[in-house]
Amino acid sequence: MTTTPARAADPAAASHVVRIEVRPKPGEPDPLAASVHQLATESLGHVTAIRTARVYLIEADLDDQAVARIAHELLADPVSQIPVIGAGDRPEDGAVIEVHDQPGVMDPLAQSTRDAIVQMLPGLQRDGVEVRTGFRYDLHGTDASSQALRAFAQTALANPVIHDIHLQPFRPGKSPRESSYVLHVTHAPIRDLDDQGLMKLSREGHLFLSLDEMHAIQTYYRSVAREPTDVELETLAQTWSEHCVHKTLKATIHYREHQSEIGNRKSQINWSTRPGHTVNDDGSITIHNLLKSTIMAATDRLMQEDHFRQWCVSVFVDNAGIVKFDDEDAVCIKVETHNHPSAIEPYGGAATGIGGCIRDIMGTGLSARPIANTDVFCVALPDTDDVPTGVLRPKRILEQVVAGVRDYGNRMGVPTVNGAVCFHDGYRANPLVFVGCVGLMPIDKCFGDPQPGDRIIALGGRTGRDGIHGATFSSAELTGTHADEFAHAVQIGNAITQKKTMDVILQARDHDGGPLFGAITDCGAGGFSSAVGEMGDKLGARVTLETAPLKYHGLSYSEIWISEAQERMVLAVPPNQVDRLRALCDAEDVEMCDLGHFGQTNDAGEPKLVLTYKGAEVGRLSMSFLHHGIPTPTREAIGSVPKAVSEPGKEADQQTRTLADILTALLSHPNIASKHWIIRQYDHEVQGGSVVKPLVGPHQDGPSDAAVLRPKLSSDRGIAIACGLQPALADPALAEDADAYWMALAAIDEAVRNCVCCGADPTRIALLDNFCWPGCDDPYQLGALVRAAEACYDGALAYRTPFVSGKDSLNNQFTTDDGRLIAIPPTLLITALGLVTDVTRCPTMDAKASGNCLLIVGQTTGELGGSHYRMVGGDAADNHIPKVDLHRGPGCAKAVAGLIGQGLVRSAHDCSDGGLLVAAAEMAFAGHIGLDLDLQDLPTHGELDTVTACFSETPSRYLLEVAPRDLDAVIHTLQQAGVPFGQMGRFAAHDRLTLRTPRDGPILNLALDDLRDAWLKPLDW
């Protein structure tokens, strides 16, 4: 084919904007149209049909032949699509809606298209081509008003925070060119401000610092006899934000029990034995650094033993926790939250959340290769009606956060293997988005440090205005105005840019002769200010801001420094290695820039951070003050049974229901029902290491307890990844004694149990904590946080599972226009990473053969508080929460792991959400094998009625499938271990679930297909 050249690039030539639409051919499926047709009909009335098109707006100096080539050869698939140059005709019987990204919003497709056009047409320069993309929706058969069309578009098609909506084909002129920035160093007078003025500056400047913190800054600038520049204030705000420094968990806390609770809970916590705790004369407790005195203290205590000291390579000091995998390699893991950005723009918030977590792995030690992603979403119930002004509906949020994680992980080639979804009305104004990543790295590359004279090298994406104030915004309480006030904090990621950057970094790490860099970190919250500021803590740094590549002209020095624009990494590179690194970047088409050097001190040798812009000094800060100058006042916390801060779940009509009705309702509950519609969007097979998948069984229609990966395909050694999440146990609407202490222990127990069920060694399980809490300015909420942290200390020591990393998000509440406070329930996600000695011995939860026996390990108690049985409207005689037995729980885990290690267990399933009957039903229908259950030998604490026995969610219980030939050996082992157990029935050669009890005989007989259908029931939005 003859190449059609573009017209020669002439800076004086007048380029124009070409519009190209790409549509499905007539008769070809249009999935995008199908996905919105029903919503359009519900919103607008009758809509006969919808047709969609991808719109490309290309600004370049192109002739007609070049435009035709781009349209037909590059943008359209000749088999299934047709391109239209210009705007296609409007439907005669309907309307047009177009959705386009706002100027400045990251558009990855546009970037890829621009690069492809430059490669296709010789003579074009990259800077001479601008591309924007959008979507066109032709709605046939509707006479809806413009107001109705725009409202529908905002509900179903667009997010006004990042999108423009047009009700006709968009025909822009030339793209606006931003003028170059003219240097003007801005100072913020602070030395003479009174308290009111300090707090006004903090709020209006989006610093979100406390009065004590503003006083500390004021004192510092009085000592240096000058006013701060704007970039200095921004740097302090980013570094001192709750998001970056975790100042609540590190605070000194004065804790006391509420008067009504004194005497009720003293036996739970032995305060006098805890490090960093002082028992005062009045019975109150002073906790010196909550994080260090609880979660980190438990790990420190475990690491006094050689067993853990050798296994835990790096904890709480890097971007991710690192544990030893084998003699050559280590695995690292990090889990983050990205809640506030996802509340405003769910797709971008979740995508940049998982992208940032992957970058954490890339920036750990001397870089790890990402091998797996995880995600957990907490959203409002499907039938939630009370959505405040400024908040997106829960369906939109869930669909978009799933899409964000899906697109980013799939495009980077990192499998998403484990997760969960939790529904609760308390999340209607503050969705929670937890994202995690696991990496593999050589064990001799787990540490790095910059050296004086190292160049500060940035790799990857360009810097733009997206993400400005992201760290401080994430540390603030949401209101209905945040979508407008913090639109600049929203980011859209580009996974392809990050993939190329990762390829360069791994090549540079494994370069012949040794790594080309001595330290690396991700450019996440706070942008360059955090990345360079943290790396240069002990050395100081000098940064020339004008050298950073920009997405567009016009950024000020302050914006360049604090922007959190995505896909950027910062490396400390010896000067003699810079050219070698640049050659790798050129080969992979990755941008690289030199921002300055590490090693900047004053005359006294104190490390300084110095920022310049085009020769002018715009910032100078003491590294000691930046990282250690934040005040740590004592905060007041009160421990109490919580008052209802969130509404209870929607309950079913109170009426007499059969056991079959309750079981079906539980299997259909959003928390328990299948998440296959999410799971199947993720690629969990990429990299070829997935052993136990998210869905298991002969037809992949059973819920796996954990994921198991084989990181090195040459070895049978593996890792299990699981999570634990039990916010209902801290929700007073569901239990009269709701308590964050027991909620946290239940989450730890669940995470360990899930890992053990899939073959993990309980002596080699590491934990991560992610606290998401309402505002901790409330002493009662802070008291609940204290109790949860204390539970982490107790749980880690009891289960012998060190915490290796964590993250918190402590302002998850929303003030409505009329002043109502909507707060999330206290939520703690526990993530567990366990080593698997031999992945070929990993059981899955689906039943394997008729004739096998079903055993339960663990004791069932009578508490139904916080249970899903209560959530579906069940009455409970005992509405207290179940409590973890810190002796029996670890014993059950050890016993079950021993049986699995001996190959005596055919399938294993944790008994948790929904209780015994739900877990047994899942095993049966996942294996497509009938099950005859009998409660005769159920080990219980006291006499239980049938409903309680079936639906209690007592922790630390396991269901095990055992072949008859192995039954005696299993029973002997469990007896020797001294754990409660009982035989619950047999799997059978029929397709039903039956149940009998000692008192009532046969009381249940249901078809497995009906149970499976209930579990697979789509969410009723």
Side-chain angles (χ1 to χ4, degrees), residues 149-214:
L149 290 168
R150 192 170 293 278
F152 163 66
Q154 291 184 1
T155 300
L157 307 179
N159 185 344
V161 172
I162 60 169
H163 294 132
D164 289 327
I165 298 169
H166 307 275
L167 300 183
Q168 58 185 357
F170 181 47
R171 296 179 174 86
K174 292 178 64 177
S175 299
R177 304 290 181 176
E178 296 194 48
S179 59
S180 298
Y181 169 69
V182 177
L183 176 63
H184 175 69
V185 181
T186 302
H187 290 81
I190 192 175
R191 290 181 291 173
D192 297 326
L193 291 180
D194 59 15
D195 289 355
Q196 183 178 358
L198 289 173
M199 293 313 295
K200 181 179 180 182
L201 174 62
S202 176
R203 180 59 183 87
E204 293 183 356
H206 296 157
L207 307 178
F208 294 109
L209 296 174
S210 70
L211 182 58
D212 287 337
E213 291 158 352
M214 293 299 291

Side-chain angles (χ1 to χ4, degrees), residues 183 542 544 546 612-618:
L183 176 63
R542 186 177 189 88
T544 53
E546 72 273 9
T612 67
Y613 183 84
K614 295 186 176 179
E617 185 172 298
V618 296

Side-chain angles (χ1 to χ4, degrees), residues 617-915:
E617 185 172 298
V618 296
R620 177 178 287 266
L621 273 170
S622 160
M623 282 294 195
S624 176
F625 179 67
L626 178 62
H627 292 290
H628 310 291
I630 183 171
T632 55
T634 299
R635 305 188 62 177
E636 295 294 321
I638 301 174
S640 172
V641 171
K643 302 299 183 286
V645 295
S646 55
E647 297 178 4
K650 301 292 192 301
E651 294 190 354
D653 294 335
Q654 292 291 345
Q655 58 184 352
T656 302
R657 291 182 294 175
T658 66
L659 209 62
D661 293 333
I662 299 170
L663 175 58
T664 301
L666 286 169
L667 287 169
S668 301
H669 189 281
N671 285 348
I672 297 173
S674 175
K675 310 304 184 295
H676 69 277
W677 67 273
I678 296 176
I679 293 166
R680 296 189 192 283
Q681 296 183 55
Y682 298 148
D683 185 345
H684 50 265
E685 299 287 357
V686 66
Q687 298 190 21
S690 180
V691 177
V692 177
K693 331 285 184 179
L695 294 171
V696 296
H699 300 285
Q700 293 82 52
D701 51 8
S704 181
D705 294 311
V708 176
L709 294 176
R710 187 170 60 163
K712 299 166 70 171
L713 300 184
S714 59
S715 169
D716 286 334
R717 198 171 179 84
I719 56 173
I721 307 164
C723 61
L725 184 71
Q726 294 292 333
L729 300 186
D731 183 356
L734 293 171
E736 60 187 70
D737 59 344
D739 189 341
Y741 179 86
W742 296 109
M743 177 269 287
L745 283 180
I748 291 172
D749 179 81
E750 183 183 25
V752 170
R753 204 178 338 135
N754 284 329
C755 269
V756 167
C757 281
C758 288
D761 176 357
T763 70
R764 285 287 191 272
I765 293 178
L767 301 181
L768 291 85
D769 61 275
N770 285 96
F771 290 88
C772 285
W773 235 249
C776 287
D777 290 339
D778 179 344
Y780 290 95
Q781 294 293 356
L782 184 57
L785 181 68
V786 168
R787 295 186 63 77
E790 301 290 348
C792 289
Y793 178 86
D794 289 338
L797 293 180
Y799 285 87
R800 296 175 60 77
T801 48
F803 283 92
V804 296
S805 183
K807 193 72 172 178
D808 60 82
S809 175
L810 303 183
N811 283 286
N812 293 285
Q813 56 190 33
F814 185 99
T815 301
T816 65
D817 292 342
D818 57 2
R820 289 181 298 130
L821 184 68
I822 302 174
I824 68 165
T827 304
L828 171 62
L829 173 68
I830 296 291
T831 303
L833 182 147
L835 290 190
V836 178
T837 304
D838 184 354
V839 297
T840 65
R841 286 179 173 265
C842 290
T844 53
M845 57 75 61
D846 51 301
K848 301 301 188 296
S850 61
N852 286 346
C853 304
L854 181 67
L855 274 66
I856 188 168
V857 177
Q859 187 178 66
T860 300
T861 60
E863 303 93 350
L864 285 169
S867 67
H868 285 79
Y869 172 74
R870 289 278 290 113
M871 294 179 199
V872 298
D875 289 323
D878 187 338
N879 196 32
H880 295 88
I881 57 174
K883 298 175 174 63
V884 174
D885 185 320
L886 288 177
H887 171 72
R888 186 168 286 162
C892 289
K894 182 180 179 181
V896 171
L899 293 172
I900 292 172
Q902 295 175 63
L904 299 177
V905 175
R906 299 297 309 280
S907 66
H909 193 23
D910 88 308
C911 189
S912 57
D913 293 349

